Amino acid sequence: MVGALPLMDAAFESRGGTHRSSVWRLLAATPPLAFLGVFFVWPVFAILLRGLRPNGVWNLAAFGDVFSDPSMRRVLWFTLWESIASTVLCVIVALPAAAMFARLRFRGKRLLWSALLVPFVLPTVVVAVSMLGVIGGGGLAGVNLNGTVWAILIAHVFFNYAVVVRTVGATWSTIDPRLEESARILGAAPWRVFADITWPLIRSSVAAAASIVFLFSFTSFGIVLILGGLSHRTLEVEIYDQTAKFLHLDIAAVLAIVQLVVVVVILMWFGRSQRRRSVLLEQRSASETERSAETPLQRWLIRSNILFMAVLFGIPLGLLVVRSFSTPNGWGFGFYQALADTRGGSTSFVPPIDAVGNSLLFALMATVVALALGFCAAWAIVGDGSDVSDSRFSRWTDTALMIPLGTSAVTVGFGFLIVFDEPPLNLRSSLWLIPIAHAIVALPFVVRLLVPGLRSIDPRLREAASMLGASPRRVWWTIDVPIVGRALAAAAGFAFAISLGEFGATAFLARPDRPTMPIAIYRALGRPGDYNFGQAMAMSTILMVLTIVVITVIDRFRPAGVSEF
Amino acid sequence: MDSAFLSIDHVSVRHSNSTAESLCDVSFDVAAGEVIGVLGSSGSGKTTLLRAISGLQSVSTGNVVLDGVDITKTPTHLRGIGLMFQEHALFPHLDVADNVSFGLRMAKMPKPDRSERVAEVLELVGLAGFGSRDIASLSGGERQRVALARTIAPSPLLLLLDEPMGSLDRVLRDRLVSELGNLINRLGLTVVYVTHDRSEAFELADRIAVLDSGQLVQLDTPEILDAQPATAHVAQLLGHR
């Protein structure tokens, strides 16, 4: 999640290597690329082979079976229109907020801008549970939307609102308001100003945000699994069911391939649309472009946006916390205490509270892996900044590391399941299997946060240090590490948060006796009764608090001006 | 004055935000065809005055009357005023011709008339044949001319210029100031010209208004202003010692 926005900064300054530093950079790039090869490319390849060449013979019959099956066609069609509807809805409700953040000054703006990240990084399972509290049976809203497409759309807007607001808002705030003022003076009515001036200038960032929202909605798993009921299923859910419930690996492989093709097409379209945006804006800093709200319309814009956010985010999350304390025996910690015992149901062999420890351990392991590899990769991409050319190497490494962003977590989990279950690499019983999958998901974000951090180091600092007699290793340790420390901290926080909330891949890989928190929540939801739902809410609250703590820490360390995410 | 074309009548602008510049009870009249230079240091309220006249800034009290019509409450896009920013604010996604014809398009002028008018105006500012050029490819002086062409193309009743030479170098500025003077005379435009540069004001203006801390301290012809500055601040602005 968290924005494939990084894909946007396709432009790289030409930098690169004298011969010696090229060798070093190649060496630095090797571990992350090898990791990607073994734990991403290989599993995906295995899926491709499973679908295209079942039983060792090239055979596309499985595709025919899938496409001629009306229920599969329904799944395909639903996935497609659900993601388009989510995207359109999200853009429509988020654009006014983007305008507000870009143009108006108001109290608490900075805080609100940061706080928007919270719903975005919340685990899908937590969001689904909190949605059930509002629009589920017996929910606050009084209508039961559970199992309808509306529940899915609202949850997708919940998640992706920040993507659109922050991506478009950041671009919009760099547009000189005098352009719009000039248009007004030249006789353009307000809606003409938007249509003729503002829209053409923000269009590419809207397209960028929209394609990310589309990808997230297209590959949405936890939300659809929990809120979609039996009738609304996306490809992602279907892949999971075909694998985990029906053991139809061929069909699952075909569906994964279809999904992969769509994702690649979207990413390519996205890349092209970004390269095409050639309009050079004289960028203004945001403080220059914002004005205090003076007209009634502007004040109304602020009020209605904030009200919208309060309803969209405040009510579900607030209700989740409140209801987690509201037991049949009155207010109290009953549901939390119940997490410690095993009587919840026959499927849970361990007390749910163990999942907290498991999640923290896995997140720690995943963070270490992602950070170590991400640092090597970022260093290989940036180089030491002092040398000439060789940008192709940078770009190539960078692109390779971004690929997992566009792939669904279920594909990663499914791939792991069919590859690492047997020699030469049997990790089925290894504690590392889940952390490695999480690291794959987190790696693109880690690299994206570290690269700008490393770029910000003035090469003259390194030169000065080596003039003073520091060996290259010493330079790295005394100059690079402290300076990128902040970026490292932010990246670690992100990796940790992603791992905590990861559901799609984990659903395939978690062993019954070692559930993570999202898995424990999902299991509790699968059992009937208020008691189990209460446990799910209690566990969701714990997971939400953990995620918010991590995000707050990130926000303190985030290097200034690193882009939208 | 009954013959006033533009009348600024006890106009005050107060910002909720105290750091921004504001206006305090400013009144003056401008005759048709007159060029008023507005001189003042930064923060004196010069830009706010233009924003108030153009409607980009709503006034707290007072009235703005243009050609006999009270336009104080008229939305900006219906005022028929031209304003040129120091930064030129050319639309980066449109080419030169589309920039210049923007106001004509908003006025719903038919397309053939539009292209004719664009060619005419570009010729006027010395940029004949620049229509298809990309904004990014223009030099500073060319941008300034395009901005001027865009502003005068819809034949505004009143031309407001906010430090139009501000971002140009000295040599270019001197040349463009005299060109602009000729153009204003030829078209008989009524102009309010904001600047902090004494020589620009003296070269172009019939009368000069001096603003200090949002107040109008003196409004006179350049000669009288030079001979009898009303306050020490005015004298300082004029470069007297």
Side-chain angles (χ1 to χ4, degrees):
Chain A
M1 321 184 277
V2 194
L5 313 171
L7 290 173
M8 284 189 279
D9 69 358
F12 281 88
E13 314 97 293
S14 43
R15 275 187 176 157
T18 59
H19 190 62
R20 222 182 58 180
S21 96
S22 284
V23 174
W24 279 111
R25 289 170 65 181
L26 206 61
L27 277 177
T30 307
L33 290 178
F35 183 80
L36 210 62
V38 173
F39 293 109
F40 180 71
V41 179
W42 184 20
V44 169
F45 232 76
I47 295 176
L48 292 180
L49 281 184
R50 180 80 66 144
L52 301 171
R53 203 163 175 260
N55 316 318
V57 195
W58 291 103
N59 186 352
L60 301 181
F63 278 86
D65 292 348
V66 166
F67 284 110
S68 58
D69 179 345
S71 75
M72 291 296 167
R73 286 226 295 262
R74 241 189 340 265
V75 168
L76 273 172
W77 169 238
F78 176 72
T79 309
L80 201 63
W81 82 254
E82 161 273 317
S83 9
I84 293 172
S86 297
T87 308
V88 171
L89 195 64
C90 192
V91 168
I92 290 173
V93 299
L95 270 188
M100 170 183 81
F101 277 112
R103 283 292 182 251
L104 296 174
R105 202 181 290 134
F106 55 92
R107 223 168 339 132
K109 182 172 172 175
R110 267 188 58 91
L111 184 71
L112 193 60
W113 183 254
S114 305
L116 270 183
L117 268 187
V118 171
F120 179 58
V121 290
L122 278 183
T124 48
V125 184
V126 172
V127 174
V129 171
S130 65
M131 283 293 156
L132 283 177
V134 183
I135 53 175
L140 185 74
V143 282
N144 187 357
L145 295 177
N146 190 17
T148 69
V149 70
W150 288 106
I152 296 173
L153 293 186
I154 293 172
H156 283 166
V157 169
F158 184 104
F159 260 113
N160 296 312
Y161 186 75
V163 177
V164 180
V165 172
R166 290 181 61 120
T167 311
V168 178
T171 306
W172 202 331
S173 71
T174 62
I175 295 172
D176 193 341
R178 276 164 291 217
L179 294 176
E180 288 147 347
E181 289 173 353
S182 293
R184 272 164 71 193
I185 289 167
L186 289 164
W191 68 270
R192 287 303 298 250
V193 175
F194 182 80
D196 284 22
I197 306 300
T198 315
W199 176 250
L201 296 176
I202 61 168
R203 192 167 43 199
S204 68
S205 80
V206 174
S211 41
I212 290 158
V213 176
F214 180 86
L215 277 185
F216 288 165
S217 308
F218 192 78
T219 59
S220 173
F221 177 59
I223 294 289
V224 183
L225 190 64
I226 295 171
L227 297 176
L230 293 172
S231 49
H232 298 295
R233 309 154 63 73
T234 52
L235 274 175
E236 195 87 337
V237 172
E238 193 64 38
I239 293 170
Y240 176 74
D241 280 353
Q242 292 294 341
T243 316
K245 284 195 190 148
F246 312 126
L247 301 175
H248 290 157
L249 295 192
D250 314 359
I251 296 179
V254 170
L255 294 174
I257 292 170
V258 171
Q259 191 183 43
L260 212 58
V261 168
V262 174
V263 166
V264 168
V265 167
I266 293 286
L267 282 177
M268 278 166 55
W269 174 81
F270 173 72
R272 268 196 35 209
S273 75
Q274 289 307 300
R275 270 195 302 280
R276 262 207 319 263
R277 63 164 185 186
S278 56
V279 171
L280 277 174
L281 282 173
E282 287 173 44
Q283 296 201 340
R284 305 282 161 184
S285 76
S287 56
E288 255 184 284
T289 59
E290 61 174 24
R291 308 221 191 280
S292 44
E294 275 168 351
T295 68
L297 186 73
Q298 289 169 333
R299 281 192 289 268
W300 179 83
L301 182 70
I302 292 177
R303 267 190 230 122
S304 54
N305 271 316
I306 289 177
L307 182 70
F308 181 82
M309 289 181 220
V311 171
L312 182 63
F313 303 125
I315 290 181
L317 297 180
L319 206 64
L320 172 69
V321 176
V322 170
R323 286 184 58 174
S324 74
F325 289 105
S326 159
T327 69
N329 315 321
W331 299 99
F333 287 90
F335 291 141
Y336 291 85
Q337 278 155 1
L339 292 176
D341 59 46
T342 47
R343 72 186 175 100
S346 57
T347 44
S348 89
F349 308 113
V350 290
I353 198 75
D354 282 12
V356 178
N358 293 338
S359 271
L360 290 175
L361 177 66
F362 288 153
L364 192 68
M365 292 161 84
T367 304
V368 169
V369 173
L371 220 53
L373 294 169
F375 191 83
C376 290
W379 192 78
I381 289 170
V382 176
D384 65 7
S386 64
D387 21 34
V388 238
S389 94
D390 197 22
S391 64
R392 196 181 304 163
F393 173 74
S394 290
R395 208 174 330 164
W396 193 84
T397 309
D398 192 62
T399 311
L401 287 165
M402 288 305 123
I403 296 173
L405 258 191
T407 321
S408 76
V410 164
T411 304
V412 172
F414 179 38
F416 271 45
L417 199 65
I418 59 179
V419 167
F420 302 122
D421 212 16
E422 55 195 20
L425 203 49
N426 188 350
L427 297 172
R428 189 73 194 113
S429 55
S430 165
L431 206 56
W432 282 99
L433 191 66
I434 290 176
I436 286 174
H438 290 182
I440 285 284
V441 178
L443 193 57
F445 298 105
V446 169
V447 173
R448 261 297 147 241
L449 281 161
L450 290 181
V451 164
L454 276 174
R455 284 239 164 86
S456 70
I457 300 177
D458 187 341
R460 280 169 300 191
L461 285 179
R462 296 200 189 92
E463 287 163 12
S466 50
M467 292 292 290
L468 292 168
S471 65
R473 215 180 53 195
R474 187 84 193 240
V475 169
W476 183 78
W477 186 247
T478 53
I479 305 293
D480 292 36
V481 171
I483 292 183
V484 294
R486 295 175 69 85
L488 270 174
F494 243 119
F496 201 86
I498 288 172
S499 172
L500 276 184
E502 211 290 323
F503 182 58
T506 318
F508 280 90
L509 304 174
R511 291 153 56 94
D513 57 337
R514 269 200 174 272
T516 62
M517 294 170 76
I519 299 295
I521 294 167
Y522 180 62
R523 282 186 191 165
L525 283 179
R527 295 190 297 264
D530 286 349
Y531 179 76
N532 285 313
F533 189 58
Q535 281 197 356
M537 288 193 295
M539 182 70 90
S540 294
T541 304
I542 297 175
L543 185 49
M544 178 175 80
V545 170
L546 278 174
T547 310
I548 290 177
V549 167
V550 172
I551 289 301
T552 314
V553 173
I554 296 176
D555 210 59
R556 304 200 110 201
F557 282 108
R558 178 195 303 280
V562 163
S563 86
E564 299 88 48
F565 283 90
Chain B
M1 257 194 280
D2 295 324
S3 65
F5 181 67
L6 170 70
S7 179
I8 310 295
D9 185 19
H10 298 286
V11 165
S12 292
V13 172
R14 274 183 295 275
H15 291 282
S16 42
N17 185 335
S18 60
T19 56
E21 60 179 28
S22 52
L23 285 182
C24 183
D25 196 25
V26 171
S27 294
F28 64 92
D29 288 344
V30 182
E34 192 178 23
V35 178
I36 297 284
V38 180
L39 204 56
S41 46
S42 54
S44 60
K46 313 180 297 256
T47 299
T48 306
L49 176 64
L50 291 198
R51 295 179 67 85
I53 298 173
S54 62
L56 292 175
Q57 169 74 56
S58 52
V59 303
S60 315
T61 54
N63 295 304
V64 180
V65 180
L66 180 65
D67 202 11
V69 182
D70 186 337
I71 57 167
T72 317
K73 301 275 179 235
T74 311
T76 298
H77 65 281
L78 302 176
R79 290 196 180 192
I81 291 176
L83 168 60
M84 182 176 150
F85 287 109
Q86 175 177 356
E87 295 81 1
H88 308 326
L90 297 176
F91 306 134
H93 57 299
L94 303 178
D95 66 13
V96 169
D98 286 342
N99 262 279
V100 175
S101 69
F102 189 88
L104 306 173
R105 200 149 60 82
M106 295 305 126
K108 302 201 167 57
M109 183 188 269
K111 201 164 182 185
D113 300 357
R114 252 190 277 156
S115 358
E116 199 178 308
R117 175 69 178 155
V118 168
E120 185 184 316
V121 178
L122 281 178
E123 171 103 51
L124 208 58
V125 297
L127 288 181
F130 271 60
S132 59
R133 287 277 292 271
D134 198 30
I135 293 303
S137 72
L138 300 179
S139 71
E142 286 163 351
R143 280 162 195 253
Q144 202 263 2
R145 289 158 196 250
V146 173
L148 183 62
R150 184 179 71 179
T151 312
I152 61 176
S155 313
L157 298 168
L158 173 69
L159 185 61
L160 307 175
L161 302 172
D162 188 3
E163 308 232 14
M165 309 293 170
S167 52
L168 304 177
D169 64 66
R170 191 78 240 176
V171 180
L172 191 58
R173 179 190 285 223
D174 288 344
R175 206 175 76 218
L176 288 175
V177 166
S178 65
E179 277 185 26
L180 183 62
N182 291 335
L183 193 71
I184 291 170
N185 285 336
R186 246 170 74 196
L187 300 176
L189 296 168
T190 309
V191 180
V192 179
Y193 186 114
V194 160
T195 179
H196 64 269
D197 184 297
R198 174 193 178 279
S199 61
E200 271 175 45
F202 272 58
E203 179 161 355
L204 292 171
D206 300 316
R207 287 189 298 157
I208 294 177
V210 182
L211 283 180
D212 183 17
S213 313
Q215 287 179 311
L216 180 63
V217 288
Q218 193 170 3
L219 175 60
D220 271 313
T221 63
E223 295 71 30
I224 300 178
L225 202 67
D226 210 19
Q228 303 158 353
T231 67
H233 180 78
V234 176
Q236 203 186 354
L237 266 181
L238 298 176
H240 295 187
R241 280 163 215 281

